[in-house]
Amino acid sequence: MEKVCQVTIVHKEKVDTVKNKLIKKDLSSLIVLGKCFSNSSRIKIFYALENFKEMCVCDLAELLDASIATTSHHLRFLKKHGMAKSRQDGKVVYYSLANEDILSAIHVFL
């Protein structure tokens, strides 16, 4: 059985402190990061890019055991939300993590 308070006592100072800190926080990137981590293919992409810094779409598709189209869909999602970036070298497109903040978040998660 779950334990719950027997009385209702609000510790106003604690609640106000957290509320004031939350007002100043932009949680949108955490929400997006949560969406990225809610998909196993995207987690694998993060893991691969964390290990090798940059990988081409074909290698990532092979890693995921998925089509290039499906892998590209995941990569577009990550890029659209600022988690990944890409560069083209001839006919090959390489993806990497967008910045050090993303890398730090992935280190914590993984």
Side-chain angles (χ1 to χ4, degrees):
M1 186 165 120
E2 185 179 338
K3 293 185 178 186
V4 296
C5 294
Q6 300 285 322
V7 294
T8 302
I9 300 173
V10 175
H11 298 90
K12 186 159 177 42
E13 189 175 298
K14 290 180 182 179
V15 172
D16 288 345
T17 299
V18 174
K19 278 185 175 181
N20 287 332
K21 288 182 178 183
L22 284 173
I23 288 170
K24 299 171 189 170
K25 295 279 185 193
D26 178 10
L27 302 178
S28 61
S29 61
L30 289 175
I31 292 167
V32 170
L33 199 54
K35 288 180 183 179
C36 292
F37 284 127
S38 69
N39 180 285
S40 64
S41 292
R42 292 178 190 144
I43 292 171
K44 290 175 186 177
I45 290 169
F46 278 140
Y47 189 78
L49 296 179
E50 185 266 338
N51 275 280
F52 287 100
K53 308 301 180 228
E54 184 178 73
M55 290 184 75
C56 73
V57 177
C58 298
D59 287 343
L60 290 167
E62 182 68 23
L63 171 77
L64 299 177
D65 194 27
S67 69
I68 290 174
T70 298
T71 304
S72 292
H73 170 77
H74 289 301
L75 291 165
R76 275 192 306 278
F77 179 89
L78 296 176
K79 190 174 175 181
K80 175 184 173 189
H81 290 93
M83 302 293 150
K85 60 185 178 181
S86 65
R87 71 173 182 86
Q88 190 163 348
D89 186 6
K91 294 182 179 183
V92 181
V93 178
Y94 292 94
Y95 279 83
S96 58
L97 298 175
N99 57 51
E100 289 298 317
D101 290 340
I102 303 303
L103 182 60
S104 296
I106 291 167
H107 281 169
V108 169
F109 183 80
L110 297 175

